[in-house]
Structure formats: C-alpha cells, structure tokens
C-alpha cells in the first residue's frame, strides 16, 4: 500500500522521534546529562518541537534525565577535579539552564571544610608564582586569581589569613 506524502512525513517524524529517544537514552545511560543538552541535540538533529517535548517527557519520566542528579554530579566533578569555586559552578549550571532553586540546593550541600580544603592548596601553589612589591600586592593578585576561579571573597580571605598565620 502506497503512503501519500503527509502519511510518509508523519511516519518519518515518528521514526525520527523514536530514534532520538533511543540515541538519547543510550547517551544518558553512559553519563549524566541535563535537559538543555538533550533538547540541543534534538534541535541539531532536526526533531520538531512537539516531538522534542514528547521525547523529553519520556526521558524525564523514565529517569534518564534528572537535572538535580546532573547538578550534583556536575558540582562534585568541578569542585574535585577542576577546583572551581561556587560562583563559577553556578554560572556554568545557569548556562546549562538548570533551575536556580536546584542549583542553590545542590551548592548549599557542599561541605565548607571540603570547599576550603580545595582552595588552600591552590593558593599555596599560586603564591609561589605571584610577584609583587609587597605582601599586600601579592595577596591582592592572589585574591583576583581566586575570584576568577569562582571562589567568594569571604572564603578567599579566610584561606589567605590561615596561610599568613601558618607562615608566621
């Protein structure tokens, strides 16, 4: 039985939708991904918006995609391996369109001692390469560098104060 043009297009769309789900579910089975990443992939593949919504609903419903789980993994990885601060992590998650409330919840779960223990060795190592006429200038440069890595001023001051106390 021959299909007319509209039926072929509908069948093609359904097939594309099914293929998108299969590819994305396989991708999600290998690692954490957020909804924004999945929608972006479907846009690149040319999946229409209605089909994208159905595929996303199915991915979320079957727990292949969970933005909170993604945010937890992202925060852990960026803190442990990249030594990023809260601000930089928050900005990266904002660019991934992860809900602000989810981001705040996950960032609030960071252990303060672990957070400080990430920054202290970084500052100690960086201090070796920072030049300046005096301690004030060197500390200012260290602070600027640490802010660029996403750490907040209160934690930076705390770590620099501890470092200065240890030097004396």
């Amino acid at each position: 039985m021959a299909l007319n043009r509209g039926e072929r297009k509908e069948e093609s769309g359904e097939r594309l939708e099914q293929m998108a789900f299969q590819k994305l579910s396989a991708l999600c089975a290998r690692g954490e991904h957020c909804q924004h990443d999945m929608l972006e992939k479907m846009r690149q593949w040319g999946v229409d918006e209605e089909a994208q919504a159905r595929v996303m609903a199915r991915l979320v419903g079957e727990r292949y995609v969970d933005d909170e789980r993604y945010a937890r993994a992202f925060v852990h990885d960026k803190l442990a391996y990249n030594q990023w601060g809260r601000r930089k992590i928050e900005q990266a998650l904002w660019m991934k369109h992860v809900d602000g409330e989810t981001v705040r919840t996950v960032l609030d779960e960071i252990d303060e001692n672990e957070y400080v223990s990430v920054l202290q060795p970084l500052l100690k190592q960086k201090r070796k390469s920072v030049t300046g006429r005096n301690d004030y200038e060197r500390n200012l440069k260290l602070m600027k560098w640490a802010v660029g890595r996403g750490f907040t001023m209160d934690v930076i001051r705390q770590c620099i104060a501890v470092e200065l106390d240890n030097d004396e």
Side-chain angles (χ1 to χ4, degrees), residues 17 113 128 140 151 157:
E17 183 177 330
N113 294 328
K128 295 175 185 176
L140 208 56
F151 291 92
R157 282 192 197 105

Side-chain angles (χ1 to χ4, degrees), residues 119-134:
L119 181 57
Q120 280 178 329
L122 287 174
L123 287 173
K124 188 174 183 176
Q125 184 66 32
K126 186 66 177 174
R127 185 176 286 283
K128 295 175 185 176
S129 66
V130 171
T131 58
R133 291 187 295 253
N134 52 39

Side-chain angles (χ1 to χ4, degrees), residues 116 119-120 123 127 139 142-143 153-168:
V116 169
L119 181 57
Q120 280 178 329
L123 287 173
R127 185 176 286 283
N139 286 341
L142 279 173
M143 286 179 179
M153 284 305 293
D154 58 328
V155 174
I156 296 168
R157 282 192 197 105
Q158 177 185 346
C159 288
I160 286 179
V162 167
E163 191 175 322
L164 290 176
D165 288 345
N166 290 340
D167 288 347
E168 293 176 356

Side-chain angles (χ1 to χ4, degrees), residues 34 36 67-68 70-75 78 84 86-100 102-104 106-107:
C34 63
H36 175 73
D67 279 355
E68 187 171 340
Y70 170 79
R72 278 185 182 26
F74 188 89
V75 167
K78 295 304 177 189
W84 285 7
R86 280 187 173 101
R87 297 290 303 144
K88 192 167 183 172
I89 293 170
E90 182 180 22
Q91 185 177 23
L93 287 170
W94 177 80
M95 292 186 68
K96 294 281 191 176
H97 301 274
V98 176
D99 178 61
T102 301
V103 172
R104 279 187 290 283
V106 172
L107 288 175

